[in-house]
């Protein structure tokens, strides 16, 4: 039903992809043609306990295959798509190809980040204008509830920032405190619950 009622890739409005750098960057008109160069947009990062960093992206142009060599934005060194997944809820299904309109994912690629552009053209530097995100307004000073959990807390905060671009972690040098910032009280509560349930890190807040 979803596939029948929702707009198909031909009717979508792709994000404003750019090619080049600075003021000379040109707008790229992408078309959902599987025979053209690959252009895909990373819309979410998830840290999976079994496969590590999982980059989820939508293919806007071209065909992504297992074994494809893709570049991340203006990077000069490509990565190889060892395994290509299609996600359905919490389940991952390995697939051989991703076509325009498909939502796919790759795992264990450290260069992938939120809002990145994936492409297969070494001579072009495809990217997007930086997305304007709201500034985190609420803050909590946090510290590990258990002695010796400082490293676990640091790793958990790093992973949470990769997943959520509206999470900010600061170190206040005057008070020597780690400050966790988010969009509001509810957002911070969700982050702390995720830290406790997923990474088994309890914190004290001030």
């Amino acid at each position: 039903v979803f596939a029948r009622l929702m707009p198909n890739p031909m009717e979508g409005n792709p994000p404003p992809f750019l090619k080049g750098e600075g003021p000379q960057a040109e707008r790229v008109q992408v078309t959902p043609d599987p025979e053209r160069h690959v252009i895909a947009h990373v819309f979410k990062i998830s840290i999976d306990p079994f496969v590590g960093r999982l980059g989820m992206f939508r293919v806007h142009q071209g065909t992504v295959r297992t074994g494809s060599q893709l570049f991340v934005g203006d990077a000069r060194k490509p990565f190889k798509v060892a395994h290509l997944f299609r996600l359905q809820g919490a389940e991952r299904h390995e697939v051989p190809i991703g076509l325009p309109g498909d939502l796919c994912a790759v795992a264990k690629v450290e260069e992938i980040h939120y809002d990145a552009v994936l492409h297969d053209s070494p001579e072009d530097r495809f990217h997007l204008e930086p997305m304007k995100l709201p500034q985190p307004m609420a803050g909590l000073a946090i510290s590990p509830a258990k002695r010796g959990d400082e490293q676990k807390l640091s790793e958990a905060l790093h992973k949470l920032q990769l997943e959520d671009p509206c999470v900010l972690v600061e170190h206040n040098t005057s008070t020597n405190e780690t400050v966790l910032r988010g969009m509001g009280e509810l957002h911070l509560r969700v982050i702390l619950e995720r830290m406790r349930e997923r990474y088994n890190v309890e914190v004290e807040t001030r």
Side-chain angles (χ1 to χ4, degrees):
V1 175
F2 187 87
R4 188 177 77 250
L5 296 178
M6 296 302 290
N8 66 50
M10 297 292 289
E11 301 170 314
N13 296 315
F17 292 103
L18 300 172
K19 180 173 69 173
E21 297 180 353
Q24 288 74 38
E26 301 176 354
R27 177 78 180 265
V28 177
Q29 186 66 41
V30 301
T31 59
D33 184 348
E35 302 301 324
R36 298 188 65 183
H37 277 300
V38 172
I39 298 181
H41 174 228
V42 179
F43 62 86
K44 183 175 175 61
I45 297 293
S46 176
I47 307 299
D48 188 279
F50 300 104
V51 299
R53 187 184 303 201
L54 199 63
M56 305 173 207
F57 59 92
R58 174 174 174 169
V59 183
H60 287 276
Q61 179 179 287
T63 301
V64 179
R65 294 180 171 85
T66 301
S68 292
Q69 300 276 342
L70 296 180
F71 296 87
V72 181
D74 59 2
R76 293 305 187 190
K77 184 179 179 181
F79 71 90
K80 183 178 180 180
V81 180
H83 301 279
L84 185 65
F85 300 103
R86 187 168 295 164
L87 305 181
Q88 188 168 8
E91 297 180 358
R92 298 184 305 273
H93 303 282
E94 193 162 349
V95 294
I97 63 171
L99 298 170
D102 283 347
L103 304 179
C104 301
V106 291
K108 299 180 180 179
V109 180
E110 294 302 314
E111 299 89 347
I112 281 189
H113 56 87
Y114 171 75
D115 214 27
V117 176
L118 308 182
H119 61 93
D120 62 354
S121 181
E123 63 273 7
D124 294 316
R125 300 168 76 91
F126 290 113
H127 60 96
L128 287 167
E129 289 186 4
M131 185 178 293
K132 294 181 179 179
L133 298 169
Q135 287 292 320
M137 301 297 292
L140 282 174
I142 61 173
S143 59
K146 299 178 183 177
R147 303 191 78 180
D149 274 2
E150 289 81 7
Q151 184 63 30
K152 284 178 63 177
L153 174 60
S154 176
E155 292 174 358
L157 290 173
H158 175 67
K159 293 174 181 177
L160 289 166
Q161 285 187 99
L162 289 174
E163 293 183 320
D164 188 342
C166 290
V167 171
L168 179 64
V169 179
E170 299 175 334
H171 181 72
N172 189 316
T173 54
S174 61
T175 60
N176 195 28
E177 291 178 322
T178 299
V179 180
L180 173 66
R181 298 195 181 275
M183 301 309 301
E185 182 183 349
L186 177 59
H187 189 203
L188 289 172
R189 192 185 310 153
V190 170
I191 296 168
L192 295 177
E193 288 177 1
R194 191 176 301 168
M195 192 185 306
R196 181 173 60 252
E197 294 173 1
R198 188 185 298 181
Y199 302 112
N200 195 29
V201 178
E202 295 277 357
V203 297
E204 295 177 350
T205 61
R206 293 179 296 284

